[in-house]
Amino acid sequence: MAKLLWGMIGGGEGSQIGPAHRLGAGLDGAFDFVAGALDHRPEAGREYGQRLGLAADRAYGDWREMLEGEQGRDDRIDLVTVATPNATHFEITKAYLEAGFHVLCEKPMTMTVEEGEEIVGLARETGRICAVNYGYTGYALVRHMRAMVARGDLGKVRMVVAEFAHGHHADAADADNPRVRWRYDPAQAGVSAQFADCGIHALHMASFVIGQELDRLSADTVSCIESRVLEDDAQVNLRFDGGAAGRLWTSSIALGRQHGLTLQVFGEKGGLRWAQEQPNQLYWMPLGGRLEVMERGGPGLSPEADRASRVTMGHAEGMPLAFANIYADLAEAIRARKEGRDMDPAADLYPRAEDGLRSMAAVFAVAESGQGQGVWMDARPPMFR
């Protein structure tokens, strides 16, 4: 089977996220990395792309040059990943969708709700895939949690508790560090800092697992380091459209926490607990039973979990492999479209533009609720009300 062709914008040398995407896209042999505009400095991007193995004529200086170059090729890319600074996501994603390319965009998909609605409408109009990289939903046991909820193992979901708290911005002396400062500057980050950066990952995972969309929320936001304009800690109460309630805590000043992404789901018939720093174990407590520890790669898991597991039980699978599952989903979706068939339902789990839009609506609702002393806000995008 011929490989699909993949290109990347951003994610250049020294990037935090670029290597994870390149590892994830290449892991299963479904994609061939053939084009890139990897750096905001054109010559640096061209040079780095060629060091990674790109042909000289496909190591582009910027995304516009790449769009023009790829449009005219018979062997144009099937998928482009947008891993540039947040404020550029909308413009680039829109341009590539309009040109007929499938897109995987880093989160946040856009900077405003209106932009998000435009991307959703454009993806629907063009029939192109627009995915958003909520990559942590690629973990095998997160997908098994979703399958357990969907098949009724927990009964009705009563409560979901999500956290994404770390302490890497807890030092007030970092106030002028440019790698930190921009995150709390409204001119560069928008209306939210910590919730928009990390909280939406936790929110999307909660919604993904319980199969319910966020309806409304109430937020308490605080800048624990007083020089910051935007929040570095948020506690958010959630209500979902299927009746579940939720609690979400996200923080960047939680000293002693490293990554801190965890999810707990409590239903009528049992509860689940998973932590990203120990991704190979899922804790399941059935009502009236004994605590069970499920192991990734073990027997009796769902097709969704089995498909997302690559190495034998007892060996760690980390973030790049979770990203690889998003790319595997996209490869299956693209191939199914090319071949005119239905895609494997166990692979139909990649986050959509609609998810990116819902996240942006939640960001604005959290910001407004936090400024309004926790007033309850409608967290749905206008087009979904």
Side-chain angles (χ1 to χ4, degrees):
M1 183 181 297
K3 289 186 178 183
L4 299 169
L5 303 181
W6 175 62
M8 188 173 194
I9 302 169
E13 191 166 19
S15 164
Q16 179 182 7
I17 206 68
H21 276 285
R22 288 188 287 274
L23 287 167
L27 186 67
D28 295 311
F31 288 101
D32 194 6
F33 179 36
V34 297
L38 304 178
D39 199 292
H40 68 280
R41 300 163 299 171
E43 290 309 315
R46 291 189 182 98
E47 191 274 334
Y48 185 54
Q50 290 178 67
R51 273 197 280 134
L52 291 177
L54 299 181
D57 66 335
R58 300 183 88 171
Y60 297 100
D62 61 45
W63 69 265
R64 292 181 177 87
E65 181 185 314
M66 178 168 157
L67 179 60
E68 182 179 355
E70 291 299 309
Q71 275 185 293
R73 299 184 68 103
D74 293 334
D75 60 344
R76 60 187 256 165
I77 53 175
D78 295 290
L79 174 71
V80 61
T81 293
V82 178
T84 54
N86 296 353
T88 66
H89 290 176
F90 169 70
E91 180 183 21
I92 300 172
T93 297
K94 178 182 177 182
Y96 276 78
L97 287 174
E98 288 175 335
F101 293 94
H102 300 301
V103 179
L104 170 60
C105 183
E106 263 299 332
K107 47 66 60 180
M109 183 177 74
T110 61
M111 295 292 285
T112 70
V113 176
E114 292 76 15
E115 289 175 347
E117 291 191 331
E118 186 172 347
I119 292 297
V120 168
L122 186 57
R124 292 175 176 179
E125 178 185 334
T126 61
R128 299 294 89 184
I129 293 168
C130 182
V132 184
N133 190 42
Y134 291 108
Y136 301 113
T137 57
Y139 278 102
L141 290 179
V142 172
R143 295 184 167 201
H144 187 63
M145 292 174 80
R146 176 186 171 97
M148 290 182 68
V149 170
R151 71 192 185 196
D153 292 7
L154 282 74
K156 182 179 179 180
V157 174
R158 294 168 170 167
M159 175 66 64
V160 57
V161 180
E163 296 183 1
F164 198 156
H166 65 81
H168 301 305
H169 300 163
D171 189 351
D174 273 341
D176 291 324
N177 181 341
R179 293 179 64 87
V180 175
R181 184 179 60 218
W182 75 268
R183 298 176 182 275
Y184 302 93
D185 177 5
Q188 299 181 73
V191 299
S192 170
Q194 181 59 20
F195 185 81
D197 186 30
C198 294
I200 58 174
H201 272 299
L203 175 60
H204 177 263
M205 182 176 288
S207 182
F208 175 82
V209 167
I210 69 173
Q212 299 182 31
E213 301 294 352
L214 181 62
D215 184 74
R216 61 194 190 279
L217 61 79
S218 167
D220 178 21
T221 60
V222 61
S223 299
C224 293
I225 294 179
E226 295 180 358
S227 62
R228 291 173 176 163
V229 177
L230 299 176
E231 88 288 348
D232 51 24
D233 190 283
Q235 181 76 44
V236 188
N237 294 310
L238 310 168
R239 297 293 185 272
F240 293 88
D241 61 3
R247 308 281 184 261
L248 189 155
W249 174 48
T250 186
S251 181
S252 64
I253 52 84
L255 282 169
R257 299 288 290 266
Q258 295 304 317
H259 192 261
L261 178 60
T262 65
L263 187 70
Q264 299 176 84
V265 183
F266 305 106
E268 297 171 315
K269 299 190 293 185
L272 292 166
R273 175 167 55 91
W274 179 85
Q276 192 265 344
E277 291 178 42
Q278 294 83 38
N280 276 8
Q281 288 80 41
L282 173 62
Y283 294 85
W284 162 238
M285 183 69 190
L287 180 67
R290 295 180 178 178
L291 181 66
E292 301 176 20
V293 182
M294 301 180 188
E295 291 281 345
R296 184 207 52 76
L301 297 181
S302 60
E304 294 87 342
D306 289 340
R307 185 180 184 278
S309 185
R310 290 178 175 77
V311 298
T312 54
M313 185 169 56
H315 297 83
E317 286 191 8
M319 184 187 78
L321 277 77
F323 278 32
N325 286 327
I326 302 296
Y327 279 99
D329 294 345
L330 289 169
E332 167 63 10
I334 294 169
R335 290 192 191 284
R337 291 180 181 220
K338 284 176 174 282
E339 297 165 10
R341 59 173 174 81
D342 293 334
M343 69 179 296
D344 180 352
D348 194 10
L349 298 174
Y350 63 89
R352 267 72 164 176
E354 288 82 356
D355 299 301
L357 169 59
R358 290 182 186 279
S359 294
M360 189 48 55
V363 166
F364 277 84
V366 164
E368 189 169 349
S369 178
Q371 292 170 1
Q373 303 300 308
V375 62
W376 281 90
M377 300 292 302
D378 191 330
R380 299 170 297 170
M383 73 182 299
F384 294 156
R385 294 179 186 176

